[in-house]
Amino acid sequence: MESPQPGSRGAEALKHVVPGSSIAVKYHPLFGPHDDLILLELDEKLLPDVLHERVVLRGQPDEDAVLCTQSKTYAMKFVGTSNSVLLIPPANHSEFCENPQNNDSNKEEEKVVAPVIKVVSGNIELVEAAPRLDKLKSFLLEKTYNFDEYDMENLEDNQESTIGLYSWNDLVDNIQASDEELRSGLQALSAVEINGYWRLVDGSYMDMILGMLLKNSVINDWSLNALNEDEVVSTLVSDGFPGVLARHCLRTYGTKVNEGMPGCAWKLDEKRVCIHFAREILKGGKRKLESFLDEWRQKVPDGMQPTVDLVEGEVLIERVGVETWVRAFSVASLPSTPAERFAILFRERTKWEWKDLQPYVRDLKIPGLSSEGLLLKYTRRTQPSPDAEPIFSAR
C-alpha cells in the first residue's frame, strides 16, 4: 500500500491508512454544523442514477421530500447514529481549503493530520415508497374539459384562462412521483393533454362523444372490433368534436388491435364501455338491482354482455329486506394511502366479506408489504366456521 505523504491533509490521507492503525485528526478552521452537508446512504443499484444525475428531489415546503429516479419513488428518512462520524473534506476542495500560512507544511517530519469539518449525527436513508398521486386527481378536477369550453387556440396569451390548468412541468413540480409513475397515474385517470395542459374530460362530454361514435358505427356499419382510427376521428370531427378528444375516446374505451402495422384500428373494450354506462346510470343515485340491470342492457352496444362482475370496484350491492339495491362506489374515488383507504372503507361498512372488499384493496401497492401484510396491519379477520367466507373489520 502506498505510504501517506508527510503532512497529507484531507480525505485523501484516509486512503492510505492501514486497517488497525490510527491517524491524527484536528478541527478544521471552518468546523461547524454545516447543515447544508448531509450524508446519504445508497443501495448499490441506485449509484449509477445518482452519479449520472438521473435523480431529483420532489416536494413542497410543507411536505416530506422524496427522491425520484425515472421509475421509482423513495421516501427519505433521517437515521441517527450513536457513534461519532467525522466528515473530512478533500484537501483540494476550494470551499474548505485551509489557509496555507497555518499549514507549516515544509516540515517533513509533520504528522499526517486529517481536518474534521463536521461531526455527523446520522444519515439519510432511502426507502422505496408508493408514488403520492392523490394530489394529481384533485389538481385535474379543478377545471375539467367540457362541451362548453371555449376555443383555446390563444390560451398562452390569456393568463386568466390558465388558472386551474397544469402542464407537465407543473405536475412534475407538485406531484411526488417519478416520471414513469406520474405518466401511469395520468393514464389511470384517463387524462389527456390539450394545448399543453393535462385535463380530465367531463363525464357527460365523454358520454356524448362515445354515444356519437356508437351511432356512427351503426350508420356506417363499422365493426366495434376493428374501428379505423382515421375514419372514426374524421367523422367525429365533422360532428363537431375536437380531433384530440376523438382519439382520446378511442384510447379510453378501446385497445389497438394492429399495433405496429400500417393504419390504426381499435377494438372497443367491453368492460370499459360497460363501466362507463353503469356510472352514467348511477349518477342519479342508487337503483333497484333489477331496474339498473334492465337499463344497463339497453344502453350498452349490441354484442356486449353487461354482468355484475364487470363493475367490481365500481358499485356496491346492498340487500335491504327482500330488495336488492345498487349504488356507485368507485375505487377510483378512494385515497391511495392504505390507512386513509381502510378508514373510509370501514366507515362505509363495518364488516366486509372478502369478495366485496378485494376489489377495493387489490390496487394498493406498498413496496416491502404484501397484500396479506396490508390486511394483517389494517383489518381483523374472523371466520365463524371453516367453510364460511372470512369477514374483515377494522383493527
Side-chain angles (χ1 to χ4, degrees):
M1 179 178 290
E2 183 183 350
S3 300
Q5 298 299 314
S8 294
R9 285 179 169 82
E12 293 82 1
L14 301 180
K15 294 162 57 178
H16 311 296
V17 176
V18 178
S21 63
S22 62
I23 186 172
V25 297
K26 69 171 185 177
Y27 288 112
H28 192 287
L30 298 179
F31 178 85
H34 293 287
D35 295 332
D36 56 331
L37 297 176
I38 302 174
L39 292 186
L40 176 64
E41 182 179 351
L42 286 175
D43 189 286
E44 191 171 344
K45 65 183 180 182
L46 285 174
L47 271 177
D49 286 324
V50 173
L51 294 177
H52 292 91
E53 299 183 356
R54 295 194 297 258
V55 297
V56 62
L57 297 180
R58 288 180 177 161
Q60 296 300 307
D62 59 340
E63 297 174 323
D64 292 330
V66 298
L67 182 142
C68 296
T69 64
Q70 285 295 309
S71 60
K72 292 185 178 180
T73 300
Y74 294 86
M76 304 177 69
K77 296 173 61 177
F78 182 82
V79 180
T81 176
S82 57
N83 298 322
S84 293
V85 179
L86 308 180
L87 191 60
I88 300 169
N92 60 354
H93 200 297
S94 60
E95 185 179 353
F96 298 117
C97 275
E98 296 184 73
N99 189 335
Q101 296 177 353
N102 299 328
N103 290 342
D104 200 18
S105 58
N106 292 327
K107 299 179 181 179
E108 289 191 4
E109 297 79 16
E110 184 180 6
K111 284 185 177 181
V112 176
V113 179
V116 176
I117 192 76
K118 171 178 180 171
V119 177
V120 180
S121 60
N123 60 269
I124 296 292
E125 186 180 86
L126 300 181
V127 180
E128 188 176 342
R132 301 169 184 176
L133 294 171
D134 287 342
K135 197 160 61 169
L136 175 62
K137 185 174 183 180
S138 64
F139 278 4
L140 299 184
L141 283 173
E142 288 180 23
K143 196 172 186 180
T144 59
Y145 192 99
N146 55 55
F147 56 86
D148 292 327
E149 186 104 1
Y150 46 80
D151 184 11
M152 299 176 69
E153 288 293 325
N154 300 315
L155 188 59
E156 294 181 358
D157 299 328
N158 186 349
Q159 292 186 353
E160 289 187 6
S161 65
T162 66
I163 296 174
L165 301 184
Y166 297 88
S167 66
W168 171 258
N169 288 336
D170 294 330
L171 296 177
V172 164
D173 289 342
N174 286 279
I175 306 300
Q176 293 183 296
S178 69
D179 287 1
E180 285 188 17
E181 290 167 330
L182 180 54
R183 291 190 187 281
S184 296
L186 289 168
Q187 184 177 359
L189 291 172
S190 296
V192 57
E193 190 175 19
I194 302 175
N195 294 317
Y197 295 91
W198 284 91
R199 312 289 300 273
L200 293 182
V201 183
D202 180 77
S204 298
Y205 196 18
M206 288 299 292
D207 185 53
M208 290 174 60
I209 301 172
L210 179 60
M212 187 60 70
L213 187 156
L214 294 174
K215 288 179 181 176
N216 282 315
S217 71
V218 175
I219 296 171
N220 299 298
D221 197 26
W222 294 340
S223 168
L224 298 183
N225 293 324
L227 294 167
N228 181 282
E229 179 178 312
D230 292 339
E231 188 176 359
V232 169
V233 171
S234 174
T235 303
L236 289 176
V237 168
S238 67
D239 289 329
F241 298 104
V244 64
L245 293 187
R247 290 184 175 85
H248 178 59
C249 181
L250 289 172
R251 286 193 298 270
T252 300
Y253 300 112
T255 54
K256 285 186 178 181
V257 292
N258 63 339
E259 197 78 44
M261 297 176 61
C264 192
W266 294 79
K267 174 184 178 180
L268 287 192
D269 184 273
E270 181 176 64
K271 182 173 182 176
R272 291 185 230 166
V273 173
C274 287
I275 287 175
H276 168 81
F277 285 111
R279 286 173 175 171
E280 289 299 308
I281 294 170
L282 293 175
K283 274 184 177 179
K286 66 179 182 179
R287 298 278 296 271
K288 287 185 179 179
L289 182 61
E290 298 82 0
S291 171
F292 164 74
L293 291 175
D294 287 343
E295 185 173 349
W296 197 21
R297 293 188 192 101
Q298 293 172 19
K299 282 185 174 290
V300 300
D302 292 339
M304 293 189 178
Q305 301 297 322
T307 56
V308 173
D309 62 293
L310 291 178
V311 286
E312 284 184 345
E314 292 290 334
V315 304
L316 283 180
I317 297 176
E318 301 168 327
R319 291 166 183 80
V320 181
V322 296
E323 295 180 333
T324 303
W325 293 78
V326 60
R327 61 186 176 88
F329 187 68
S330 176
V331 64
S333 67
L334 301 177
S336 60
T337 53
E340 295 177 13
R341 173 80 63 91
F342 280 102
I344 290 176
L345 289 173
F346 288 119
R347 281 201 300 270
E348 187 66 33
R349 285 183 179 177
T350 56
K351 295 182 179 181
W352 288 79
E353 292 183 9
W354 174 240
K355 63 180 178 62
D356 295 329
L357 179 64
Q358 195 258 354
Y360 293 99
V361 298
R362 62 188 169 199
D363 67 309
L364 289 175
K365 298 287 188 294
I366 307 301
L369 194 60
S370 65
S371 298
E372 292 76 12
L374 275 174
L375 291 174
L376 188 63
K377 184 175 182 179
Y378 294 103
T379 71
R380 189 183 303 278
R381 173 179 170 148
T382 57
Q383 201 165 1
S385 68
D387 299 330
E389 283 287 325
I391 302 296
F392 295 86
S393 55
R395 178 168 287 280

